[in-house]
Amino acid sequence: MSLSTQFRQFADSLAPNGDVISNAKRVIERIQKVIHNNLGGRFSIDRIRPLGSLAKKTSLWFKMDIDIVVYLNDEMPPFTDFIDKLDDVIIMNIDEDCEKTPRGLKLKVDDFEVDLLPATNFLYKNGFHGGNDARTQNKNGLSHLKQARIPNKMDFSTSLSEAAVDFEQSHSAFSHALSRLAKLWSMTIGVRSFYGRSSIMEYLGARAAEESERGGSQDLLEGFQRFLRMIEESNGINVIWANFYDMSDIPSNIQRQRPLLLDPTNPYNNLLGGSNGEYLEQMSSFATETLSRIDMAKRNPRMALTKIFEPQPKMYQIYKSPSTKSPRNFLLGDQKDFRTLPKIESRRGAKGVDPAIARNYFFAFVDAVAAAAETDGRQPSDITKTVRSELEQFIHPGQWSPTNESHESRQMTFTIPVGHGTNRVIKISCNWE
């Protein structure tokens, strides 16, 4: 099978299947009902909409975060009273461990990570009512920002983000697939998390897709290489979409910034501004390495996805600082399980640990190896064995010894479904020392 065909099949397999989407919709409906029933009498709620990658069709099946935005009439940032009341309602009805964030709430429901965000409803402002229309919301919101001379326009980013769904839905299935590959690749790069990282990868993937399509190509391998070259030369990125605002709406100081990846819905938001551009620059050498891996894989395409998407840098290089707790004393196993989403279990001793990089490494690498084994024609039982073998050498090269210790004896366990249709999971457990 050619490398281009492998990329096409892999990108398609990264999308959530019908069962996962149905489960996500049930979570959304439950949250919407709880909010309407408990806060509808206290606040004027116009609508509650799921946004984010689920609505934009750029989700990865194993990391399908849900963004739910509550549009409020006659409320303005920072929405302190609403967030306090919402926190009480969610704790009592859905998730007692939900956390407040600067913009709203973060909670976990049925293995889905959910961001609950309030926003100002602008559909009826300025004497113009366009119905439940993302363009109307965006147009009236930007008009309000200009007229009110609000100093911190970023406070209204969520209020303008409804149009982001329309923006992505105007792109092709090829573009969505390329954005998924870009987001997966980002998960395999051990640069610390930064705000908006997923959206940045999604939009760079969309721009790479646009450039490929302008050249008459919908080859995902070629598009992915184009995306990587953008990361390689990140300092020169200059991407503006004027779908939901005019060029004259963009402040001149922002137009001059480099790198520049302007939020398609907010002309005041350079997604690569400040430290984000520096973090992206840190990823450039890893993009170069991935391009080199692709060149080698073209000559030997067998199990190519494993080689191309093996995380960078190695685990031991990430956790080498003595001041940072690192994962140790690993247990690795597999078992029959019909779960559709991965999960992380934290036990005593894991408090204060941030497993984000390890989680991303494990989730992305397991899926890449399973996909490589599937395209290699291996049977479900052999796919699991292959994933386990590759993980062993990735986590700790050398001989692993059998043990009677249980996964519950470790401080943290990652449970990850293997591919599609194997009905098995990989369990990775460790302590943090």
Side-chain angles (χ1 to χ4, degrees):
M1 183 183 296
S2 73
L3 194 55
S4 289
T5 302
Q6 290 185 46
F7 261 73
R8 165 55 67 187
Q9 291 188 3
F10 184 39
D12 290 344
S13 74
L14 290 173
N17 62 27
D19 289 341
V20 174
I21 292 174
S22 295
N23 291 338
K25 287 180 177 178
R26 278 194 288 271
V27 167
I28 292 166
E29 290 168 1
R30 178 185 171 194
I31 292 172
Q32 289 172 325
K33 184 176 181 180
V34 165
I35 294 173
H36 276 304
N37 289 348
N38 291 275
L39 294 177
R42 299 186 193 183
F43 298 90
S44 178
I45 298 173
D46 183 80
R47 63 197 182 281
I48 303 174
R49 281 203 66 190
L51 301 182
S53 58
L54 171 63
K56 292 188 278 187
K57 299 182 180 179
T58 58
S59 285
L60 301 174
W61 72 266
F62 53 83
K63 196 175 183 294
M64 200 171 76
D65 303 336
I66 299 173
D67 293 343
I68 299 176
V69 178
V70 184
Y71 290 90
L72 301 166
N73 296 317
D74 305 316
E75 298 281 344
M76 294 287 171
F79 308 107
T80 305
D81 185 39
F82 177 78
I83 290 173
D84 287 342
K85 299 294 191 300
L86 180 64
D87 186 38
D88 293 338
V89 165
I90 295 300
I91 287 173
M92 290 185 64
N93 293 276
I94 296 179
D95 179 11
E96 62 182 19
D97 296 320
C98 73
E99 301 175 17
K100 285 186 181 178
T101 70
R103 298 193 303 152
L105 298 181
K106 187 175 287 291
L107 53 148
K108 195 159 191 177
V109 189
D110 298 342
D111 293 330
F112 290 100
E113 293 184 0
V114 180
D115 282 315
L116 261 178
L117 309 167
T120 301
N121 178 39
F122 286 113
L123 283 184
Y124 315 107
K125 301 292 183 183
N126 307 317
F128 180 74
H129 174 208
N132 190 356
D133 186 323
R135 286 188 175 273
T136 302
Q137 170 76 15
N138 193 267
K139 177 181 177 181
N140 289 349
L142 289 174
S143 177
H144 172 80
L145 294 188
K146 289 179 187 176
Q147 294 171 10
R149 298 185 181 278
I150 293 166
N152 188 5
K153 295 179 172 59
M154 294 307 299
D155 287 343
F156 287 84
S157 285
T158 304
S159 301
L160 300 175
S161 64
E162 193 169 15
V165 175
D166 281 22
F167 171 79
E168 277 293 351
Q169 288 183 350
S170 71
H171 284 69
S172 64
F174 167 72
S175 176
H176 298 158
L178 189 49
S179 287
R180 286 194 295 270
L181 286 170
K183 289 162 77 170
L184 176 99
W185 178 82
S186 175
M187 290 180 66
T188 69
I189 304 304
V191 171
R192 64 172 290 183
S193 236
F194 52 92
Y195 181 72
R197 179 170 176 167
S198 179
S199 293
I200 289 168
M201 298 302 143
E202 183 177 287
Y203 289 140
L204 290 177
R207 174 46 63 97
E210 290 173 353
E211 292 177 356
S212 291
E213 290 176 317
R214 275 197 292 270
S217 171
Q218 285 196 335
D219 185 302
L220 277 171
L221 175 58
E222 176 192 310
F224 183 62
Q225 290 173 290
R226 191 184 296 272
F227 157 78
L228 291 172
R229 285 191 287 270
M230 293 173 70
I231 301 292
E232 260 194 317
E233 302 168 2
S234 62
N235 284 334
I237 288 175
N238 180 21
V239 176
I240 296 173
W241 288 283
N243 300 52
F244 293 93
Y245 46 76
D246 298 324
M247 291 296 293
S248 59
D249 292 326
I250 308 169
S252 58
N253 67 307
I254 290 181
Q255 290 195 42
R256 292 192 297 269
Q257 291 176 7
R258 295 294 181 275
L260 175 61
L261 176 62
L262 200 57
D263 187 329
T265 68
N266 185 352
Y268 304 101
N269 183 20
N270 177 11
L271 292 164
L272 296 180
S275 59
N276 278 9
E278 296 170 10
Y279 286 129
L280 197 66
E281 187 177 7
Q282 291 176 30
M283 302 173 81
S284 63
S285 62
F286 301 118
T288 301
E289 169 62 21
T290 306
L291 285 165
S292 175
R293 293 177 180 183
I294 289 173
D295 286 340
M296 289 188 287
K298 287 177 179 177
R299 296 190 290 271
N300 179 17
R302 189 175 183 193
M303 294 297 290
L305 297 173
T306 299
K307 304 165 191 171
I308 292 168
F309 291 101
E310 181 178 339
Q312 308 173 65
K314 300 285 189 181
M315 288 276 288
Y316 72 86
Q317 293 173 303
I318 288 288
Y319 296 102
K320 62 183 179 182
S321 170
S323 62
T324 303
K325 284 190 173 183
S326 58
R328 295 281 189 272
N329 302 318
F330 281 94
L331 289 179
L332 193 60
D334 64 90
Q335 64 187 48
K336 193 173 185 65
D337 195 315
F338 293 92
R339 72 169 25 256
T340 56
L341 289 174
K343 69 173 180 178
I344 302 175
E345 298 169 277
S346 295
R347 306 182 184 90
R348 182 177 296 179
K351 186 176 181 180
V353 166
D354 181 5
I357 290 179
R359 173 201 64 195
N360 288 347
Y361 272 21
F362 294 150
F363 287 7
F365 192 50
V366 165
D367 204 55
V369 176
E374 287 174 14
T375 58
D376 200 43
R378 304 188 188 187
Q379 296 301 309
S381 58
D382 292 327
I383 290 172
T384 304
K385 290 177 185 176
T386 301
V387 169
R388 183 165 173 170
S389 174
E390 292 287 347
L391 267 176
E392 287 176 349
Q393 296 310 303
F394 172 69
I395 293 170
H396 184 75
Q399 186 68 35
W400 285 57
S401 302
T403 179
N404 291 324
E405 294 180 89
S406 69
H407 287 274
E408 288 71 21
S409 69
R410 297 297 190 265
Q411 294 170 353
M412 188 173 289
T413 299
F414 303 84
T415 303
I416 311 168
V418 177
H420 300 277
T422 67
N423 297 327
R424 297 196 72 81
V425 297
I426 288 286
K427 294 178 78 90
I428 308 166
S429 297
C430 61
N431 290 328
W432 291 82
E433 300 172 356

